[in-house]
Amino acid sequence: MAVAAPPEWATKEPCMMGIDEAGRGPVLDSKTLKEEQREELFESLKANSSIGWEVDVICPKELSAKMLKRSKVNLNEISHNSAMGLVKKLLDMGVLLAEVYIDTVGDPEKYRVKLTEKFPGIKFVVAKKADSLYPVVSGASIVAKVTRDRALRNWVFDETALNMHMNTGSGYPGVGELAHPSSRMQLKESDELDEDATGNGSAKRQVKLSSLGFTGFKRKSEEIESSGKGRCKFFQARKLELVRKF
């Protein structure tokens, strides 16, 4: 698919970018704006010829596949890769990107260093609640949330037999961007995930068998599963159990 060329001014004048994401929460909720207000603001942004935007949508299946494969990729890293992918896309398009403001996912300083090493020469500002601090991120947040809202509005649940009529989270980060002669935005807004809590690959510790209840004799796999001692802490903390019959 051909990528649309940026406006001429975006290749000659320094641009600013904002990044925020939406879609990880189990229940859709916006503490500041209602869906109708976000739609109105989004249309205003689209009508401004000096602003550009783009979204990166990651589907739930892709998230699950990356998090459950043998060489796991946690949500923070997935989010970081998505943001970096959008930054790279703008640079490849010839946009003169000078500054990028991001609502942090994980530790702000570690994230900033990671971005700076990847894209030297660009000023990165990574902060908590950046959508409340920087207008460029606020605009990106609007684009991300509207993209999510519209996707869910036409979402068809597989669990139709359960007659599920509820406000459910989208389960994927949506990323977008906006541009101005000196303001370029991109979005990504979500509940913060502490990198230490989610566990980076290098920080993960292997669990000893003794801590899972093994004392030198074998148990049947079914007994282990039913006791919960063989399950990952992620599932234990959320009281999730293996279901064999529906």
Side-chain angles (χ1 to χ4, degrees):
M1 180 182 294
V3 178
E8 188 176 356
W9 57 258
T11 63
K12 297 181 178 180
E13 300 181 44
C15 295
M16 183 185 298
M17 185 181 202
I19 300 177
D20 200 2
E21 76 176 24
R24 285 197 196 163
V27 178
L28 296 185
D29 178 42
S30 177
K31 301 180 181 67
T32 307
L33 299 173
K34 294 184 180 295
E35 183 175 341
E36 296 77 11
Q37 294 174 306
R38 294 196 295 267
E39 285 283 350
E40 291 179 5
L41 289 170
F42 181 53
E43 292 303 322
S44 297
L45 292 172
K46 287 171 59 180
N48 191 328
S49 60
S50 65
I51 292 177
W53 58 272
E54 183 157 341
V55 296
D56 178 29
V57 177
I58 305 174
C59 72
K61 288 184 178 179
E62 182 179 347
L63 289 178
S64 297
K66 289 181 177 179
M67 294 177 67
L68 296 176
K69 67 179 184 178
R70 178 168 297 181
S71 179
K72 294 178 174 55
V73 183
N74 65 37
L75 281 174
N76 283 9
E77 190 172 355
I78 294 172
S79 183
H80 293 177
N81 291 341
S82 177
M84 290 189 290
L86 284 166
V87 172
K88 182 178 183 303
K89 186 172 184 178
L90 263 66
L91 294 176
D92 290 345
M93 291 170 63
V95 173
L96 185 57
L97 190 57
E99 301 177 17
V100 179
Y101 294 79
I102 304 179
D103 189 29
T104 192
V105 175
D107 182 88
E109 181 57 20
K110 289 181 181 178
Y111 192 9
R112 186 195 66 79
V113 171
K114 182 178 183 179
L115 290 164
T116 301
E117 290 178 347
K118 181 72 173 179
F119 303 103
I122 297 177
K123 174 186 175 181
F124 287 95
V125 177
V126 183
K128 296 181 179 180
K129 307 298 182 184
D131 58 332
S132 300
L133 301 173
Y134 307 104
V136 69
V137 183
S138 301
S141 179
I142 293 296
V143 178
K145 284 187 171 70
V146 169
T147 300
R148 177 203 61 193
D149 293 342
R150 293 182 177 182
L152 287 173
R153 203 174 296 150
N154 300 314
W155 189 273
V156 177
F157 287 98
D158 291 333
E159 303 85 348
T160 53
L162 300 179
N163 194 25
M164 299 175 66
H165 298 292
M166 63 184 87
N167 287 332
T168 350
S170 59
Y172 58 80
V175 184
E177 73 182 55
L178 303 161
H180 195 272
S182 59
S183 73
R184 183 108 191 163
M185 326 178 175
Q186 221 178 39
L187 32 146
K188 279 186 156 266
E189 177 256 321
S190 114
D191 297 332
E192 276 176 26
L193 289 177
D194 190 334
E195 283 187 339
D196 295 331
T198 56
N200 290 329
S202 60
K204 283 190 174 179
R205 296 177 298 175
Q206 291 186 339
V207 181
K208 294 182 179 179
L209 291 178
S210 59
S211 68
L212 298 177
F214 289 87
T215 56
F217 61 88
K218 293 183 178 180
R219 296 186 181 186
K220 292 181 180 179
S221 60
E222 292 183 358
E223 293 176 350
I224 296 172
E225 291 171 354
S226 62
S227 69
K229 292 182 178 179
R231 293 199 303 271
C232 173
K233 289 183 178 180
F234 174 89
F235 297 100
Q236 291 178 345
R238 291 158 179 78
K239 301 187 184 303
L240 298 176
E241 298 180 358
L242 180 64
V243 178
R244 295 184 180 280
K245 295 182 180 180
F246 293 89

